[in-house]
Amino acid sequence: LIGRLMFELPEEMGLIAIAVRQTQGKGRGGNVWLSPVGCALSTLHIAIPLHSNLGQRIPFIQHLVSLAVVESVRSIPGYEGIDLRVKWPNDIYYSDLMKLGGVLVTSTLIETTFHILIGFGFNVNNSNPTICINDLITKFNKEEGTKLKPLTADCLIARTVTVLERLIDIFQEKGPNGVLPRYYKYWIHSGKQVRLHSEEGPIAWIVGIDDYGFLQVHEEGKGVESVHPDGNSFDMLRNLIVPK
């Protein structure tokens, strides 16, 4: 529906589709995302000029969206300690333990404008199939003696889009360095050690992400190299970076 509408609307008009339940959710590489009632589920259309900071670094959009989801919760006064984090390239995690959301970005270049469709889904009030944000809030209240209220999917979708708009503005003005400190504050990879290619492969350390949003790893004796998300999957369980 949005794919048809997005070319018909004026550029300054925003467009978002929100679902209560999703039966055919898609992830990267053909994976399926299970989406019961209680998830925040939406697809957002944005237009990015090709000749802009973000237009020259389109892979960064998925990182900005993941960050916006995390900040939609952790920027609320009192909720800063909820352990919601980003995992490269496009996941939202509870600590480094469990996935509770993801982002999928597709882009179409028409003349000098990228039309971007951003699908994002994250668990707000559904404990299955993994864990949800309100579970984290309940856990935090028990541990810290606080009385934070549960959050709603519609509130967090609205906050995510608002934060994303600000992040895009900052990126367009200042480039990657304008947003990376905020991204690294919440990402789960700092200083983590991984093996490349296989369980017996060479050891490398995660350094950060480069100017185009690709993961940088440092292999001893070889310096820093970038790993592209389209050709690699990052396996958190086995700590591998492997060719897909």
Side-chain angles (χ1 to χ4, degrees):
L1 178 66
I2 282 198
R4 294 196 302 273
L5 278 176
M6 66 184 187
F7 300 120
E8 307 296 328
L9 295 177
E11 260 188 43
E12 64 276 9
M13 185 176 288
L15 183 63
I16 189 169
I18 296 170
V20 173
R21 177 185 288 156
Q22 186 175 243
T23 57
Q24 296 180 38
K26 294 176 182 177
R28 287 179 72 241
N31 292 329
V32 174
W33 177 252
L34 300 175
S35 312
V37 172
C39 292
L41 304 163
S42 58
T43 299
L44 172 69
H45 168 254
I46 60 173
I48 301 291
L50 169 63
H51 302 295
S52 66
N53 267 331
L54 192 51
Q56 295 295 300
R57 299 168 176 84
I58 284 297
F60 246 102
I61 289 177
Q62 62 191 338
H63 308 319
L64 298 185
V65 181
S66 299
L67 175 58
V69 170
V70 171
E71 287 199 342
S72 75
V73 175
R74 300 190 69 166
S75 63
I76 303 173
Y79 291 75
E80 299 91 343
I82 304 299
D83 200 8
L84 206 58
R85 296 186 175 272
V86 293
K87 169 183 166 281
W88 179 89
N90 64 335
D91 290 333
I92 294 100
Y93 258 62
Y94 155 50
S95 183
D96 61 352
L97 301 173
M98 207 175 295
K99 178 176 176 174
L100 54 69
V103 176
L104 189 67
V105 176
T106 57
S107 63
T108 305
L109 181 62
I110 306 290
E111 294 179 348
T112 58
T113 301
F114 276 110
H115 289 269
I116 313 290
L117 287 180
I118 301 165
F120 59 94
F122 52 97
N123 300 337
V124 179
N125 199 34
N126 53 297
S127 299
N128 293 312
T130 57
I131 196 170
C132 67
I133 287 167
N134 284 341
D135 287 347
L136 302 186
I137 292 170
T138 300
K139 180 174 179 288
F140 186 83
N141 283 337
K142 284 180 182 174
E143 291 173 354
E144 303 295 328
T146 50
K147 295 182 179 178
L148 300 177
K149 293 180 180 177
L151 299 172
T152 63
D154 53 355
C155 165
L156 291 182
I157 289 170
R159 289 184 63 87
T160 296
V161 173
T162 302
V163 173
L164 178 61
E165 285 182 329
R166 292 179 189 150
L167 289 172
I168 289 172
D169 287 345
I170 293 168
F171 196 101
Q172 294 292 40
E173 183 185 344
K174 299 180 179 178
N177 291 336
V179 298
L180 279 176
R182 288 165 73 166
Y183 184 78
Y184 289 141
K185 180 180 177 183
Y186 297 122
W187 90 323
I188 61 178
H189 303 297
S190 294
K192 291 281 176 73
Q193 192 180 88
V194 293
R195 286 191 179 271
L196 304 181
H197 311 302
S198 72
E199 292 183 32
E200 289 78 39
I203 292 174
W205 287 264
I206 295 175
V207 176
I209 55 179
D210 67 16
D211 276 356
Y212 294 91
F214 301 134
L215 193 72
Q216 290 180 308
V217 297
H218 181 265
E219 186 183 344
E220 200 166 338
K222 289 197 174 179
V224 175
E225 60 178 328
S226 294
V227 182
H228 294 224
D230 286 344
N232 297 270
S233 65
F234 186 61
D235 187 332
M236 284 295 298
L237 300 177
R238 292 187 297 161
N239 258 5
L240 300 178
I241 298 176
V242 295
K244 224 174 184 182

